[in-house]
């Protein structure tokens, strides 16, 4: 389920970032095996879009403590991860993370 257009855009953005780093003398490194740093970077950049699983068996956003649920179309729908990072909120009868 990978969209070619979105993947091409991601490759283009990666090239742009690499060029910006090279122009400004910022060293780049390969983090393929360092998933902790990658996850920390994502959470730091998108902390507003993070939610955690609570003792009340529900997810609450980190910043506003709004009750949200995993969208039924998500691959995480049948699992209960302790923390999730979402892209958008969809409000119907319930508020879903996608």
């Amino acid at each position: 389920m990978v969209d070619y257009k979105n993947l091409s855009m991601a490759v283009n953005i990666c090239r742009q970032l690499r060029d910006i780093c090279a122009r400004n003398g910022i060293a780049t490194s390969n983090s393929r095996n360092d998933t902790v740093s990658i996850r920390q970077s994502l959470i730091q950049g998108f902390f507003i879009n993070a939610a955690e699983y609570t003792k009340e068996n529900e997810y609450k956003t980190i910043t506003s403590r709004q009750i949200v649920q995993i969208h039924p179309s998500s691959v995480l729908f049948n699992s209960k991860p302790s923390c999730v990072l979402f892209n958008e909120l969809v409000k119907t009868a319930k508020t879903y993370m996608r």
Side-chain angles (χ1 to χ4, degrees), residues 33-92:
N33 296 328
D34 187 11
T35 60
V36 172
S37 294
I38 293 170
R39 287 184 281 161
Q40 286 177 342
S41 297
L42 287 170
I43 292 297
Q44 288 175 356
F46 295 104
F47 70 93
I48 292 175
N49 291 8
E52 63 183 343
Y53 195 67
T54 64
K55 293 177 184 176
E56 295 84 28
N57 297 326
E58 59 193 13
Y59 285 96
K60 288 187 179 179
T61 59
I62 299 293
T63 53
S64 65
R65 306 307 292 168
Q66 178 181 5
I67 297 173
V68 292
Q69 296 183 357
I70 296 176
H71 195 273
S73 67
S74 171
V75 296
L76 299 175
F77 182 67
N78 290 322
S79 62
K80 300 281 188 220
S82 60
C83 294
V84 293
L85 189 63
F86 58 89
N87 187 39
E88 66 180 341
L89 292 176
V90 177
K91 295 184 180 185
T92 57

